[in-house]
Amino acid sequence: MIDLEIYSPVQKINHPVFTERDLHVFIKRDDLIHPLISGNKWRKLKYVLKKAFEQNKNHLVTFGGAYSNHLLATAAAAALFGFKATGIVRGEEVDNSHLFLCRLHGMKLIFTDRESYRHKPDLFNRHFGNDEQAFFIDEGGASAEGALGCSELLDELIQPYDDIFCACGTGTTAAGILNGIGKHQLNTHLHAIPVFKNGAFIATEMERYLTYPLPYSLHTEYHFGGYAKTTPELIQFIERFVASTGILIEPVYTGKMMYSLVDLAAKGHFKPGSHILAIHTGGILGLLGMTGKFNV
Ligand SMILES: *Cc1c(COP(=O)(O)O)cnc(C)c1O
């Protein structure tokens, strides 16, 4: 049925800043869950797909930009679990490695102008209003089911952490993690890093899915110019991080999250002796569309 065995080990990360500040920093390798249904995307899809299956829907319809990790994850999951899939893609027709892999997994793509894209239920009804089998999945997999899947990350932890770091797009993953912290009554502080400019709105998005309204920190100053924007500083940080740890991170999500963790550590934000967990939410194929930004 709809299940994947989760392989997501926790590994220690060494960095001179962490040593200097006496911090024990670990990374939860959700990127290793599946090469394409990567990281938080599998956690977010799990209960969405279960719901589709229970409602006897065999056609997944979802939304994303041309580099959407969610679109690709849905295409791969659809193929794996026997669904048909359509991706409604924002903007004019283009081709890239993400969309190639979507099509390779059998996903049909419909390109749509940016104005229509804003009205997703209308788009769904226009194209699939007569398709009894069609099942709507929101952009990025944002849903209560998605948050429930992400909360299960906390079930897998075998040691307590003082702090957990996570990148935010829709905020579903961060909300799920906070719910997991609440469910296990942990004394863990969540740090959510929006990858957009003016990311304070993520608090409202997260609120839709919170079952445990615990305090957490939203660090809105690590967007590096906005969604998928980079700076030479971020790129250099990623180059050094990958070369010195052997763990791939990318500029859109995990690079910004990891930068924030190192920056806050350097600024003395954490008590010496703290145990900190960074969530690797996957998405490393995004690197392939950005090779030109690197100096290596
Ligand atoms: C989609 C994605 C996120 C954002 O997750 P949300 O639940 O939408 O906040 C974070 N990191 C990576 C690598 C992603 O692909």
Side-chain angles (χ1 to χ4, degrees):
M1 268 226 332
I2 312 277
D3 229 334
L4 255 187
E5 192 178 335
I6 297 276
Y7 176 69
S8 171
V10 170
Q11 298 168 344
K12 183 131 205 268
I13 313 178
N14 295 310
H15 189 285
V17 169
F18 301 153
T19 315
E20 189 185 316
R21 295 281 175 178
D22 187 25
L23 301 174
H24 307 281
V25 180
F26 300 83
I27 187 163
K28 176 110 170 101
R29 298 291 306 273
D30 270 12
D31 56 315
L32 300 181
I33 291 176
H34 185 278
L36 302 178
I37 317 173
S38 93
N40 62 348
K41 297 302 182 282
W42 164 246
R43 296 191 188 277
K44 291 207 282 186
L45 279 170
K46 178 176 169 186
Y47 289 104
V48 172
L49 298 195
K50 284 202 165 146
K51 189 169 161 188
F53 188 79
E54 280 159 17
Q55 295 182 3
N56 289 314
K57 307 279 190 183
N58 70 4
H59 180 189
L60 308 177
V61 178
T62 196
F63 304 83
Y67 287 95
S68 165
N69 293 328
H70 163 72
L71 219 51
L72 181 50
T74 306
L80 188 57
F81 298 115
F83 294 93
K84 270 180 20 176
T86 299
I88 300 187
V89 188
R90 183 183 60 232
E92 63 209 40
E93 184 154 357
V94 288
D95 197 14
N96 64 36
S97 51
H98 264 65
L99 297 176
F100 163 74
L101 287 169
C102 286
R103 290 195 308 271
L104 186 60
H105 285 84
M107 180 180 254
K108 296 271 185 305
L109 300 177
I110 300 175
F111 292 86
T112 188
D113 65 273
R114 280 157 203 275
E115 179 49 35
S116 318
Y117 186 83
R118 286 198 215 182
H119 309 286
K120 297 184 184 70
D122 291 350
L123 270 175
F124 178 84
N125 287 330
R126 191 189 320 152
H127 290 285
F128 303 106
N130 296 323
D131 180 352
E132 298 259 304
Q133 300 294 329
F135 187 79
F136 177 97
I137 303 177
D138 209 347
E139 180 175 31
S143 56
E145 290 83 7
L148 176 63
C150 292
S151 73
E152 294 180 347
L153 185 150
L154 277 295
D155 303 347
E156 296 160 23
L157 300 182
I158 51 175
Q159 76 167 79
Y161 295 92
D162 300 292
D163 300 272
I164 291 186
F165 272 71
C166 164
C168 294
T170 65
T172 309
T173 304
I177 288 172
L178 206 56
N179 291 342
I181 290 172
K183 179 183 148 203
H184 289 274
Q185 301 188 317
L186 301 174
N187 202 357
T188 305
H189 190 82
L190 173 70
H191 301 261
I193 320 298
V195 300
F196 302 99
K197 216 185 246 183
N198 305 319
F201 75 93
I202 286 292
T204 322
E205 295 299 304
M206 284 175 63
E207 218 164 280
R208 296 162 60 188
Y209 308 121
L210 289 182
T211 47
Y212 290 89
L214 297 171
Y216 63 95
S217 301
L218 200 57
H219 300 283
T220 55
E221 62 277 30
Y222 294 104
H223 56 76
F224 294 88
Y227 183 71
K229 298 280 196 304
T230 65
T231 65
E233 198 185 359
L234 177 65
I235 294 296
Q236 191 181 64
F237 171 80
I238 292 171
E239 289 171 354
R240 289 187 181 156
F241 183 88
V242 174
S244 66
T245 62
I247 297 169
L248 268 181
I249 54 174
E250 45 66 52
V252 183
Y253 294 101
T254 49
K256 292 179 182 179
M257 180 279 298
M258 196 48 82
Y259 185 104
S260 75
L261 169 44
V262 172
D263 190 54
L264 291 168
K267 290 173 175 161
H269 197 84
F270 309 105
K271 274 206 277 306
S274 291
H275 285 67
I276 303 173
L277 184 68
I279 311 298
H280 195 316
T281 41
I284 50 182
L285 278 189
L287 272 173
L288 298 181
M290 302 181 101
T291 53
K293 304 216 182 256
F294 285 80
N295 307 303
V296 289

